[in-house]
Amino acid sequence: HVQLVESGGGSVQAGGSLTLACAASRSIYYDYCMGWFRQAPGKEREEVARFDGDRNADYAESVKGRASISVDSTKNTFQLQMNSLKPEDTAVYYCAADRRVGGICYESSRAWGQGTQVTVS
């Protein structure tokens, strides 16, 4: 079972940029679908960006054009870069990984990171 640890959260001014990183305890490039979620106070957790089973990147409408998900297979890490940050981007951000078998992501196997706070003011 993979373990995930996020880093890179913090406080940033509106219009600024931030890069979050997620370090995995094992190689994940081939066997996992990776993604980022966030949860704002009083709201449900929502998907921000992810790689699907074909390794295509998908983005929530609210971050399209402002977010980029990438993976460094040599370091077992994946990242979320966000630009033009808005106060409504304030949330706890979680990385996640689903087992990928035959090009299918199995959400039932999802592993979560512990979360990292992003505050935009």
Side-chain angles (χ1 to χ4, degrees), residues 35-55:
W36 289 90
F37 294 74
R38 67 186 181 186
Q39 187 166 20
K43 295 187 177 181
E44 293 187 354
R45 191 173 298 188
E46 63 174 357
E47 183 177 293
V48 177
R50 66 187 290 266
F51 286 114
D52 65 18
D54 295 322
R55 300 200 186 93

Side-chain angles (χ1 to χ4, degrees), residues 1-120:
H1 193 71
V2 66
Q3 294 181 322
L4 306 172
V5 178
E6 297 101 340
S7 61
S11 297
V12 63
Q13 290 188 336
S17 299
L18 204 63
T19 299
L20 305 178
C22 184
S25 59
R26 51 158 290 179
S27 176
I28 56 173
Y29 181 74
Y30 293 104
D31 298 330
Y32 286 86
C33 301
M34 295 152 276
W36 289 90
F37 294 74
R38 67 186 181 186
Q39 187 166 20
K43 295 187 177 181
E44 293 187 354
R45 191 173 298 188
E46 63 174 357
E47 183 177 293
V48 177
R50 66 187 290 266
F51 286 114
D52 65 18
D54 295 322
R55 300 200 186 93
N56 296 313
D58 294 323
Y59 298 94
E61 285 296 325
S62 59
V63 303
K64 272 185 180 178
R66 303 190 295 120
S68 178
I69 185 173
S70 61
V71 59
D72 184 339
S73 60
T74 63
K75 297 181 180 180
N76 296 338
T77 61
F78 57 103
Q79 296 183 320
L80 177 69
Q81 180 176 355
M82 291 193 65
N83 304 313
S84 302
L85 284 162
K86 306 175 181 179
E88 51 263 43
D89 293 319
T90 295
V92 177
Y93 283 70
Y94 300 88
C95 61
D98 302 342
R99 283 283 293 172
R100 175 179 177 270
V101 180
I104 298 173
C105 308
Y106 288 89
E107 186 175 332
S108 58
S109 68
R110 180 166 294 166
W112 293 97
Q114 82 285 0
T116 185
Q117 177 70 45
V118 172
T119 302
V120 184

